[in-house]
Amino acid sequence: MEQEQLYKLMQSIFPEKRILTDLADRYSYSFDASFGEYLPDIVVQPSNKEEISKVIKLANEYKIPVYPRGSATSLSGGSLAVKGGIVLDMSQYKKKLIIDRENLLAIVSPSVITADIHKQAENVGLFYPSDPSSSHVSTIGGNLLENSSGPKGLKYGTTKEYVIGLEVVTPTGEIIRTGGKTVKNVTGYDLTRLIVGSEGTLGVVTEAILRLIPKPQARKTLLASFNRLIDSGHAITNILSAGILPSAMELMDNACIRAVENYEPSGLPIDAEAIVIIEIDGHMAAIEEEIKKCEEICRLHHAIEIKVATNEKERDSIWKARKMVSPAITQMGPTKISEDATVPRSQIPKMMEKLYEIREKYELNLVVFGHAGDGNLHPNIITDQRNKEEMKRVEDAVSEIFEAAVELGGTLSGEHGIGTLKAPYMEMELGKDGLLMMKKIKEAWDPNDILNPGKIFPQPGQSKVVLS
Amino acid sequence: MQQDKYALKLYDFAYEAANTCVQCGYCLPACPTYESMGKESQSPRGRINLVKMAAEGKIDIQKDLAEPIDLCLGCRACEVACPVNVPYGEIYEAAKEVITMQQQDKELVKNSSGRVKMQNRVLNQLFPSNKRLRTLGNLTWIYQRIGMYRLVQKSKIINKISEPMGQFEKILPKLESPFERYKFGQVFPPKATKKMTVAFFPGCIMDAVMSRVNRLTIELLQCVGCEVVIPKQQNCCGALHTHQGFIKKATELAKANIEAFESSAAEYFVNNAGGCGAMLREYDKLFKNEPEWKERAKAFVNKTKDITEVLVELGPLPLKKEWNGIITYQDSCHLRNVQGVMNEPRYLLRSIPGATYVEMEESDRCCASGGIYNLLHFEESMKILDKKMEKAKHTNAKTIVTTNPGCLLQMRLGVERSNLQHEVEAVHIVEVLAETCGIN
Ligand SMILES: Cc1cc2nc3c(=O)[nH]c(=O)nc-3n(C[C@H](O)[C@H](O)[C@H](O)COP(=O)(O)OP(=O)(O)OC[C@H]3O[C@@H](n4cnc5c(N)ncnc54)[C@H](O)[C@@H]3O)c2cc1C
Ligand code: SF4
Ligand code: SF4
């Protein structure tokens, strides 16, 4: 459809100021934190659910794709307008954040920044555990639809464990509610769970009811370094089998350690093959005992150095090393391909081995860090998009990373979602029929393929991601 | 679209830097214009991407890039928030430079708006000349003295001409008479045991309309044991030129200033305006291709200090009198984000006898004065300012302290706009400190 016509259609729904058509504006909504650039025809900024319902109904009538978008921090291309059409910028949606202390709930609109929920909940002694590193930028809507998590996923699980009710505009424009305010709810199909993690392909979320838990009283943090990666793996599995459930267990490999030290020296052992950060939270007395036990187990598995933070400042400096990884590795090149292949945690050492083989084979700048406690690794390839030849090797390497993960009983994505970047590998993990079942759901909900097309499901004949 | 000659320039100047952005969005919450305008093209991530798109020839520099860049405050809060240290300031200035370069082309100038022409004239003729600015300052003094301003205010003549001008006229500080002024080339002896010789940079706007603050600055320096020199041949720092894209002019001004201060043989080069200070502290960036000047500029940069840094280092100040009521502080973006000075002013304010210091929520957020942003983009600026005033009100402060002339005028305007002129005053940090030291 011509842009002018599209503009006229949108004018019947939105005030002028919330319809963006300038080339500069369209380009500003053409990217996210992943890869790729797709120019939408128009961007609209809804502020209530009725507007969304109207857009989607019109979109169905005229067969125009619609892409919901939060803060566009997705690492898998979730909100990209791959087929042109309308970007639905949810970041300007009316903000609502109510903490219901009696029922241990938060009622939020999708545009709320996740860190604001953390803050408000903690103000009254409650806790919303889902904590992606991007939480001070990303919207709760984006978190829900990507089913995000972070270091705390090990103990507290992913976003989906905390969503008990939703208000959704369906791909055909109806406004529905799923779940509710009760923690127990077994009425019919669990549509809430189906929508959470659906990456904006099954509906636009306009409100969510989140479960909160009491805030843990205290926490303790430990950093251990190992000469051999395999030792760190054993330490991790042994801590877990000893009946301790840390709130986080993070792993950095030697390449990460070096990158961080190069970027901002903080006294990390640059010869260590791996460092592991372990955090325990809960009751004061219990954590004292548990952290001691973790220390013992690490030592038993040949940790060369163990540091336990004695105050908040020391804790911050331990976590700083982990937080510096992302910025530090981007110094090695302008293009960062960040994966999040996940394996059962017992397979972490094997997966690491495979990753290093891939690094050697394709001669790539590949570093590994991640949430070792739950098997969620982040192999990152640092490259330069302009180097066409290298990008070809990256494509092959990425395929092999996924093959390795699936072979070891793992999955394509632990937290970043499928988006455009992993769609080609879906069949590899799910099988033909498994994928078909998902596709049937999508077709039933969205017969005209209006909502966020081009995501999750591969294009016919597509079996590899094309980056160059 | 083909890359024309300007796109290629932009590519040369800024593409590498823009390409280091990983589009993570961590800078979005820090950006006041993203917050107030609510769209990605008015965010740091958006602006950087647009510079990239323009350099690649995908969008037009004048039609598509100029406005988003023009609407940036240049507060550089995004730079502090960025985890991968994308040099936003450099990207922004490069974009400004190329945009201006293209506008300067004869044909374009002919067709350009009156605003662009006026801006060129002001920047190239008025600001580089301290003499001309002083004359303007003196005329303003006469104008204020004979009370004409009351007449003008009453008749709202100015408001009829232009709302922003009218609003600003009200908040201009009362100027000192030309007879009270310090002179360029003068040397002031220390009033305590001598600790060092410093050279003072009076600035151009400060010199023209806030010479009282400058005089008090010199006296405070004397109080902590400084011999204060005012180098004779100094100029405007060039910040306004840089922000409007006149890099060549800025480089000329920088060279003259470096020479003037070098010959003062002082240990520190002190200034009291966050914006000027930031420019002075980045002089080395102007000389990418002139190694010899780059070295000299680096030495200059290392000696450049904000007044609050010097007072803390050489203090304590001989504080004598009490100051009543609550004091709050609004950071100058350029002092905080570019020069990295945030503790010193707070430390000094907390040490004032009698007063209670209350930190303002979001004091690190730009007040939207942004050079002459508030004149060029009045409405956008006022939206941000009004929000700032809400936060200021919450502190119940009687005194709002700033460290930059632009911010000071803007806060005064904010006080007027929120009808607080009888309860609240906005002052430069030097004024509070001087008052409590018994200097007037
Ligand atoms: C530096 C960095 C660190 C990160 N760390 C983590 C991490 O630790 N853990 C983690 O899980 N992820 C992480 N991410 C990925 C990303 O932040 C998350 O996926 C986040 O949830 C995306 O939120 P967003 O608001 O930016 O959504 P967007 O990127 O805008 O959108 C994400 C998806 O949600 C859909 N969507 C958004 N809002 C709605 C809505 N209201 N209704 C329907 N669909 C919607 C979009 O269509 C898209 O498919 C990180 C990203 C970056 C850049
Ligand atoms: S924080 Fe830095 S890297 Fe991230 S989007 Fe902003 S400028 Fe780019
Ligand atoms: S300089 Fe200030 S206004 Fe400009 S993009 Fe950065 S944060 Fe926003």
Side-chain angles (χ1 to χ4, degrees), chain B residues 27-28 30-34 42-45 47 68-69 71-79 88-89 92 333 337 366 373:
Chain B
C27 51
L28 296 183
C31 177
T33 59
Y34 177 61
Q42 305 302 351
S43 81
R45 178 173 68 175
R47 290 182 176 122
I69 293 293
L71 284 169
C72 168
L73 284 159
C75 72
R76 292 172 61 176
C78 47
E79 225 173 271
Y88 180 79
Y92 167 73
C333 299
N337 300 330
C366 185
Y373 189 91

Side-chain angles (χ1 to χ4, degrees), chain B residues 186-198 218-230:
Chain B
Q186 222 174 330
V187 178
F188 298 85
K191 284 187 190 157
T193 327
K194 181 174 169 180
K195 290 186 187 134
M196 65 167 69
T197 301
V198 303
I218 297 168
E219 290 192 46
L220 285 175
L221 286 167
Q222 288 174 289
C223 280
V224 293
C226 292
E227 176 182 63
V228 188
V229 186
I230 306 183

Side-chain angles (χ1 to χ4, degrees), chain A residues 186-198:
Chain A
V186 294
T187 309
Y189 293 152
D190 190 350
L191 295 184
T192 309
R193 282 244 174 176
L194 181 60
I195 291 166
V196 172
S198 66

Side-chain angles (χ1 to χ4, degrees), chain A residues 145-166:
Chain A
L145 275 297
E146 294 287 5
N147 201 352
S148 298
S149 62
K152 295 197 182 110
L154 165 63
K155 178 166 176 178
Y156 296 104
T158 58
T159 299
K160 68 178 171 218
E161 334 283 355
Y162 300 90
V163 190
I164 57 174
L166 291 175

Side-chain angles (χ1 to χ4, degrees), chain A residues 255-302:
Chain A
C256 291
I257 300 171
R258 281 175 187 270
V260 170
E261 276 302 296
N262 265 337
Y263 184 61
E264 213 181 280
S266 46
L268 297 178
I270 54 169
D271 293 326
E273 252 187 25
I275 59 181
V276 179
I277 298 170
I278 299 167
E279 187 160 286
I280 309 265
D281 69 3
H283 190 276
M284 203 53 155
I287 62 172
E288 281 294 341
E289 200 182 305
E290 288 183 349
I291 205 91
K292 247 191 221 121
K293 201 138 175 211
C294 289
E295 219 180 317
E296 270 166 37
I297 297 174
C298 287
R299 195 151 284 137
L300 205 67
H301 292 280
H302 318 293

Side-chain angles (χ1 to χ4, degrees), chain A residues 68 70-74 78 133-134 139 142-143 145 148-149 199 205 415 452:
Chain A
S71 295
T73 65
S74 166
S133 321
S134 58
T139 64
N143 283 191
L145 275 297
S148 298
S149 62
E199 303 188 24
V205 169
E415 56 183 29
N452 214 0

Side-chain angles (χ1 to χ4, degrees), chain A residues 222-327:
Chain A
L222 165 162
L223 180 137
S225 35
F226 296 86
N227 262 343
R228 294 186 329 150
L229 194 72
I230 188 97
D231 290 336
S232 68
H234 286 142
I236 290 165
T237 36
N238 277 292
I239 286 171
L240 292 165
S241 58
I244 300 173
L245 190 55
S247 55
M249 258 206 231
E250 297 286 300
L251 177 82
M252 285 162 61
D253 77 351
N254 179 268
C256 291
I257 300 171
R258 281 175 187 270
V260 170
E261 276 302 296
N262 265 337
Y263 184 61
E264 213 181 280
S266 46
L268 297 178
I270 54 169
D271 293 326
E273 252 187 25
I275 59 181
V276 179
I277 298 170
I278 299 167
E279 187 160 286
I280 309 265
D281 69 3
H283 190 276
M284 203 53 155
I287 62 172
E288 281 294 341
E289 200 182 305
E290 288 183 349
I291 205 91
K292 247 191 221 121
K293 201 138 175 211
C294 289
E295 219 180 317
E296 270 166 37
I297 297 174
C298 287
R299 195 151 284 137
L300 205 67
H301 292 280
H302 318 293
I304 45 170
E305 206 189 313
I306 297 172
K307 238 190 320 201
V308 179
T310 54
N311 54 40
E312 272 303 293
K313 214 173 133 208
E314 286 177 23
R315 174 182 180 268
D316 286 348
S317 94
I318 289 182
W319 276 110
K320 190 162 171 232
R322 170 64 179 84
K323 291 201 176 113
M324 293 308 277
V325 173
S326 273

Side-chain angles (χ1 to χ4, degrees), chain A residues 23-25 27-29 31-33 37 45 69 71-73 91-92 133-134 136-137 263 327 330-331 334 386, chain B residues 11 15-16 19 22-26 28-29 34 38-41 45-46 49-50 53 58-59 64 68 83-85:
Chain A
L23 193 59
D25 280 323
Y27 264 110
S28 298
Y29 292 85
F31 59 83
D32 64 4
E37 172 196 305
Q45 303 184 303
R69 180 186 189 271
S71 295
T73 65
S91 68
Q92 304 302 312
S133 321
S134 58
H136 57 295
V137 192
Y263 184 61
T330 53
Q331 310 297 309
R386 288 167 289 185
Chain B
Y11 192 97
Y15 194 78
E16 273 305 309
N19 212 26
V22 294
Q23 303 183 329
C24 65
Y26 277 28
L28 296 183
Y34 177 61
K39 51 184 199 172
E40 187 82 40
S41 53
R45 178 173 68 175
N49 179 257
L50 289 174
M53 295 297 112
K58 286 182 180 151
I59 60 172
D64 307 312
V84 299
N85 294 333

